[in-house]
Amino acid sequence: MKRTTLTLLSLLVAACLLLIAPAAAQSTEPPVEIHFAFLTFNRVSEALESVESAIDEITVPRINVKVKLHPYSIADYAQQINLALQSGEALDVFHTLGDLPQSVSQNKVMDITDLVDEYAPDAKAVVGDFLKAAMINGRLYGIPTYKGAALAPNLVYRADIMTEIGIDPTTITSFYDLTAVYAKVKETHPEMVPLTPDSAGSLGLIRSLHGIDFLGDDPFRLNNVGALIGDSLTVVNFFESKEFTDTIALTRDWYNAGYILKDAATTTSNCLEQLTGGKAFSCIASYSGQEAYVQISAQTGRDIRMVRLGQPYLTTSAVNALTWSVASTSQHPEAALKFMNLIFSDRDVINLIIYGLEGRDYVKVDADHVRYPDGQDANTVPYTAQLSCGIVGNQFIQYAMEGTNMDDLKLWDYENKNSPRSPAFGFTFDNSGVTNEVSAVQNVINEYLPGLSTGSMDPDVELPNFIAKLKAAGMDKIIADKQAQLDAWVSQQQ
Amino acid sequence: MNSRKRTRLKLKKSLPLLLMALPGLAYLVINNYIPMAGIVIAFKKMDYAKGVFGSDWVGFDNFKFLFSTPDAWIMTRNTLLYNLAFIVIGTICALAVALCMNEIKERFFAKYFQGAFLLPNLISMVVVSYIVFAFLNTDTGLLNRTVLPALGVSEINFYSQPQAWPLILLIVYLWKNTGYASVIYLAGIASIDPTLYEAARIDGAGKWDQIRFITLPQLKSIIIILTLLSVGRIMFSDFGLFYQVPMNSGPLYSTTQTIDTYVYRGLMQLGNIGMSSAAGLYQSVVGFVLVLTANYLVKKISPENAMF
């Protein structure tokens, strides 16, 4: 009942706008309803209708589209999308989560090459050369989320301890400088672990190597036996590279010296928990900008600072892991694209999706900043998807939470545009021709990589076994396939 | 004429029973039989735009990944051997516990032990894995901090010692499942006619003879049925036990990798539902064949105990 009145109301508003600006929408056809799915890390809200009608008030007059929001939690997202696609349930716009080429080869997303210029020109303009990352074989399958994609590896450390041991953090420029730091920490605080994993089985060192393009995803999440190193366009086995062997040798030294958590290969307690508990000095993780420590300090209750161990390096997968796409089963691709255009270009629409209704779900602090209404927080307001700020559309036209340094956001944007790019930026590897090898190789990597990259396995003994098992699992076939696809891509670019 | 009448009479008699079975049957059909049509996915290259039934056939391509790896032998061996051990040792332990529990005549203690044995079965494997972790981990674990130093043994990094895990997993399995299985046997024991024991006692049979000549033979058909049911699942493994409890530790794969964990690890990133269906179908078909074989053998040896 309430919904119909609201709809009527929005239609009325729409009608008024039509009268005022008849040029804005010439058609008198009823608005098209599209279904919009996205991942939320907040509580999945039940107050969707009020937000939907507020969005409709903007979109109906402008593009004659109404929207139904479908926020899903991380546990449900992939399954809900697959179900909706399989069962033909209404779904028009959603974002991929990870492997874009897989969504393309399984035909989950629509080819929008011929539609994007007409229906989503603003979105296309916003993302700039990020668009290349959503192209496969010269066809466009979506528009990558525009957020801080240029991640730089950082040492995240306890500032109080760093001061105590008397080391100037600005002298640290790469992880090789850390041996001396950790030795001092171990000496003055034997009860403390100098370095803890940033996620299960990874110390973050491999992710902080500069100039490596894994041509897919990083090796901890997706098997990546073939990588590009530096400017070369020859796909090599990363695990046989000097970069990898040097890194794990250093890690092994640290492990033997007691600088690393003994259970680093298997522990599931992450860096933040270890810092909060006060038993850890540092971890190595990648962030955009230079202000992430403010939030980490707040979350852990410790005095945390960061120092960069390297500069950002943009690869395709850093950009296209979240790509906004039109569902292959959509009945209204044009309307879907028109709406997608707005989440990249219309401040009001995106802020409604992220923050809900002004006054009820948030209040403005100044032109750029918002906070929750007095006495409320993310869990008590009727609607918020604040934690999806880096997922939906364009992050740089959203409001920021109170306390965010807008200069840091400018740095994110600057580094998105100016960071060095892999020579294969825009290339995506389609592994559907080598799925048997991929599943075998994935198992071998799971078996060895966490142990080797956290120092608990001796590289002198286990690295040769690792390489031999990779070869037996069909690694060379994957590398050859990657090289062939890359060569084809390179010749296409010229 | 006469026989038809009899059939009708029989039907009339059993009609209420049939009606009562109807909801259950409907559930079975909707929940277990209709989804079987989805088996076709195992033979298709999934294309979401064309849908499950419209996608292209690819024959047995989706099954290849199960056999094209050098680990195929290890995961099959582990799955079969662990399950065999679980069936044999699990049954013996459950029977022993049931027999002991049956001897506890004091009501309070009988209930207490039943509850205590059943409790682990109600705990999620994720929680169990952290209980095990609290015993075994290198930095703060009970064994490495308290027990081994007391014995003068240096610390052991259990999560990189594959040879220790068959025993660890067996202990965890028994701790978690013995109570549940023993309750079924206990119920079986309770239904044995007490006059049999009385007669035996008069004839001078001791406790051991009573167990050997009355309890075990009476329980034979339950034991056989439970064993046959487990044989049907012999290619499946308890995912939580083999994935969560070893903390997904790589160096342990040689003794903890089973078909289920391999499929999960290999396909989690690929997200290929054709290949995962193929794995499930393969396990089910092998299990089905094994059940038929086992049942056939039981039929040969003692026909009255066979399931069908």
Side-chain angles (χ1 to χ4, degrees):
Chain A
M1 198 58 195
K2 196 175 158 208
R3 175 159 178 79
T4 34
T5 32
L6 281 171
T7 320
L8 276 175
L9 206 74
S10 66
L11 276 175
L12 258 175
V13 174
C16 296
L17 285 168
L18 270 177
L19 285 175
I20 301 161
Q26 289 127 342
S27 79
T28 48
E29 280 176 26
V32 180
E33 187 172 77
I34 65 144
H35 292 259
F36 180 84
F38 62 101
L39 176 62
T40 178
F41 292 101
N42 291 96
R43 186 175 53 88
V44 175
S45 169
E46 275 134 32
L48 296 176
E49 290 182 11
S50 53
V51 178
E52 285 162 2
S53 20
I55 296 173
D56 293 347
E57 280 175 32
I58 301 169
T59 53
V60 171
R62 277 188 59 186
I63 54 174
N64 205 30
V65 167
K66 291 172 71 169
V67 69
K68 294 288 278 179
L69 300 177
H70 298 276
Y72 295 119
S73 72
I74 182 83
D76 291 337
Y77 186 77
Q79 200 174 8
Q80 290 291 345
I81 298 294
N82 283 350
L83 269 177
L85 291 168
Q86 266 172 53
S87 62
E89 215 175 278
L91 174 69
D92 300 285
V93 182
F94 70 102
H95 60 83
T96 60
L97 204 54
D99 204 354
L100 176 70
Q102 178 190 308
S103 299
V104 172
S105 83
Q106 296 181 351
N107 214 346
K108 292 181 186 174
V109 296
M110 196 178 274
D111 176 354
I112 56 167
T113 322
D114 303 325
L115 301 171
V116 69
D117 285 322
E118 189 177 350
Y119 299 107
D122 304 324
K124 192 180 162 183
V126 164
V127 299
D129 79 337
F130 278 19
L131 203 67
K132 277 174 31 188
M135 292 185 90
I136 292 172
N137 289 330
R139 310 297 295 178
L140 184 70
Y141 291 94
I143 299 176
T145 298
Y146 198 61
K147 54 162 183 165
L151 304 178
N154 279 276
L155 177 74
V156 179
Y157 61 92
R158 286 271 299 271
D160 48 339
I161 311 269
M162 189 70 102
T163 319
E164 196 187 319
I165 60 174
I167 290 179
D168 176 6
T170 54
T171 59
I172 301 168
T173 52
S174 96
F175 57 70
Y176 285 96
D177 299 333
L178 294 174
T179 312
V181 179
Y182 290 157
K184 271 251 172 84
V185 174
K186 187 81 192 163
E187 191 188 308
T188 48
H189 286 274
E191 80 291 353
M192 218 173 213
V193 180
L195 176 63
T196 61
D198 71 319
S199 60
S202 158
L203 290 173
L205 285 149
I206 288 171
R207 287 189 183 127
S208 57
L209 289 169
H210 190 76
I212 312 275
D213 184 346
F214 291 104
L215 302 173
D217 207 330
D218 76 51
F220 290 92
R221 278 183 289 162
L222 202 63
N223 76 93
N224 276 291
V225 282
L228 294 183
I229 299 179
D231 292 329
S232 155
L233 279 170
T234 308
V235 183
V236 295
N237 176 12
F238 171 67
F239 301 115
E240 286 179 298
S241 72
K242 189 173 166 351
E243 284 78 358
F244 179 70
T245 45
D246 285 354
T247 309
I248 58 171
L250 177 71
T251 318
R252 179 69 181 172
D253 291 344
W254 287 358
Y255 181 86
N256 287 334
Y259 300 165
I260 299 172
L261 195 72
K262 285 239 177 61
D263 288 316
T266 48
T267 184
T268 46
S269 89
N270 63 27
C271 171
L272 286 188
E273 289 161 15
Q274 298 278 351
L275 288 173
T276 311
K279 294 198 103 178
F281 166 71
S282 73
C283 53
I284 296 170
S286 295
Y287 294 97
S288 42
Q290 296 181 313
E291 299 264 332
Y293 71 87
V294 178
Q295 209 184 350
I296 301 172
S297 298
Q299 275 175 299
T300 56
R302 306 272 170 188
D303 186 9
I304 305 291
R305 289 284 187 285
M306 320 193 309
V307 56
R308 282 197 171 182
L309 297 172
Q311 294 309 309
Y313 186 68
L314 275 174
T315 61
T316 309
S317 57
V319 172
N320 76 1
L322 292 166
T323 297
W324 283 94
S325 295
V326 177
S328 58
T329 50
S330 170
Q331 303 294 314
H332 315 288
E334 294 87 3
L337 269 173
K338 283 185 206 162
F339 186 77
M340 219 154 93
N341 194 40
L342 295 185
I343 62 169
F344 284 89
S345 60
D346 190 295
R347 229 186 152 176
D348 297 327
V349 171
I350 184 97
N351 281 321
L352 278 164
I353 295 174
I354 298 294
Y355 291 105
L357 303 179
E358 186 175 352
R360 187 192 72 179
D361 300 317
Y362 70 94
V363 290
K364 286 183 79 166
V365 181
D366 56 44
D368 294 319
H369 293 89
V370 297
R371 62 175 170 79
Y372 295 111
D374 288 327
Q376 304 254 51
D377 61 27
N379 293 314
T380 57
V381 290
Y383 178 95
T384 189
Q386 192 270 323
L387 295 174
S388 300
C389 59
I391 290 176
V392 182
N394 180 354
Q395 184 173 13
F396 299 99
I397 56 169
Q398 297 167 13
Y399 297 135
M401 288 303 283
E402 190 177 21
T404 310
N405 182 352
M406 295 314 273
D407 287 340
D408 198 48
L409 280 172
K410 286 192 188 112
L411 177 67
W412 295 20
D413 196 23
Y414 175 82
E415 293 196 324
N416 273 355
K417 296 196 166 82
N418 298 292
S419 291
R421 280 147 165 75
S422 155
F425 184 76
F427 166 72
T428 41
F429 173 55
D430 175 7
N431 62 21
S432 58
V434 284
T435 43
N436 295 330
E437 289 74 18
V438 165
S439 65
V441 162
Q442 182 69 58
N443 268 289
V444 178
I445 291 183
N446 286 345
E447 184 172 349
Y448 287 93
L449 188 56
L452 285 172
S453 68
T454 55
S456 55
M457 271 184 188
D458 182 358
D460 294 337
V461 182
E462 299 291 353
L463 185 60
N465 296 341
F466 182 30
I467 307 288
K469 276 195 101 172
L470 280 174
K471 286 205 195 304
M475 168 193 76
D476 293 328
K477 197 174 162 194
I478 300 177
I479 292 182
D481 193 19
K482 259 189 185 174
Q483 185 72 62
Q485 289 186 31
L486 181 67
D487 292 344
W489 178 83
V490 170
S491 63
Q492 234 174 44
Q493 301 300 302
Q494 282 146 10
Chain B
M1 189 65 184
N2 208 353
S3 81
R4 196 182 296 167
K5 215 178 200 171
R6 211 181 299 146
T7 321
R8 202 180 293 159
L9 203 71
K10 224 167 149 188
L11 194 73
K12 209 174 164 189
K13 243 185 183 170
S14 50
L15 195 67
L17 290 176
L18 283 174
L19 281 175
M20 274 167 74
L22 208 60
L25 283 175
Y27 169 82
L28 206 67
V29 168
I30 294 168
N31 196 56
N32 293 16
Y33 282 85
I34 294 179
M36 273 196 210
I39 288 174
V40 294
I41 296 175
F43 304 95
K44 293 203 169 217
K45 179 185 183 297
M46 187 61 193
D47 180 325
Y48 283 87
K50 292 182 189 165
V52 171
F53 297 100
S55 297
D56 302 330
W57 295 98
V58 291
F60 282 92
D61 273 6
N62 286 331
F63 291 82
K64 278 186 190 152
F65 83 105
L66 284 172
F67 308 101
S68 67
T69 153
D71 290 336
W73 155 243
I74 291 179
M75 66 194 189
T76 313
R77 177 202 70 185
N78 285 351
T79 312
L80 288 174
L81 286 186
Y82 274 115
N83 276 326
L84 267 179
F86 291 167
I87 292 172
V88 174
I89 302 175
T91 306
I92 293 172
C93 289
L95 268 174
V97 169
L99 289 170
C100 294
M101 231 138 45
N102 188 48
E103 295 305 319
I104 304 173
K105 298 300 174 203
E106 173 70 45
R107 222 182 118 71
F108 170 78
F109 285 112
K111 291 285 162 211
Y112 171 78
F113 281 114
Q114 272 182 37
F117 270 105
L118 206 57
L119 189 68
N121 198 261
L122 306 174
I123 302 175
S124 149
M125 260 310 173
V126 179
V127 179
V128 173
S129 72
Y130 281 96
I131 297 176
V132 174
F133 189 67
F135 276 92
L136 301 182
N137 85 72
T138 325
D139 288 321
T140 54
L142 180 74
L143 282 181
N144 278 317
R145 279 290 146 265
T146 317
V147 180
L148 292 180
L151 298 173
V153 184
S154 62
E155 67 175 30
I156 300 171
N157 190 354
F158 285 99
Y159 289 90
S160 54
Q161 301 287 329
Q163 65 276 20
W165 283 82
L167 188 64
I168 296 171
L169 290 176
L170 184 65
I171 292 172
V172 173
Y173 174 86
L174 291 177
W175 175 76
K176 194 163 160 46
N177 293 299
T178 304
Y180 185 74
S182 70
V183 168
I184 297 174
Y185 291 122
L186 200 59
I189 295 173
S191 67
I192 297 173
D193 189 350
T195 53
L196 288 174
Y197 292 105
E198 247 168 66
R201 268 201 300 276
I202 291 166
D203 289 343
K207 270 265 133 34
W208 177 240
D209 288 328
Q210 289 177 29
I211 290 171
R212 223 177 118 200
F213 295 110
I214 302 173
T215 316
L216 287 182
Q218 292 282 325
L219 286 179
K220 200 168 98 184
S221 55
I222 299 185
I223 298 173
I224 288 174
I225 285 177
L226 285 182
T227 308
L228 282 178
L229 287 176
S230 346
V231 168
R233 304 278 304 167
I234 203 161
M235 290 296 274
F236 293 86
S237 57
D238 182 343
F239 182 77
L241 181 65
F242 291 95
Y243 187 82
Q244 306 285 3
V245 176
M247 291 283 179
N248 189 21
S249 175
L252 305 181
Y253 282 9
S254 58
T255 55
T256 63
Q257 184 85 287
T258 62
I259 297 176
D260 292 275
T261 59
Y262 182 86
V263 169
Y264 179 79
R265 286 177 180 125
L267 299 187
M268 188 170 60
Q269 302 293 353
L270 275 176
N272 187 326
I273 60 171
M275 285 158 84
S276 26
S277 312
L281 182 60
Y282 164 67
Q283 290 171 298
S284 305
V285 167
V286 175
F288 183 64
V289 170
L290 283 173
V291 166
L292 287 185
T293 323
N295 192 60
Y296 174 78
L297 289 177
V298 171
K299 222 175 186 167
K300 282 260 143 152
I301 300 160
S302 71
E304 74 274 19
N305 287 319
M307 272 203 295
F308 41 83

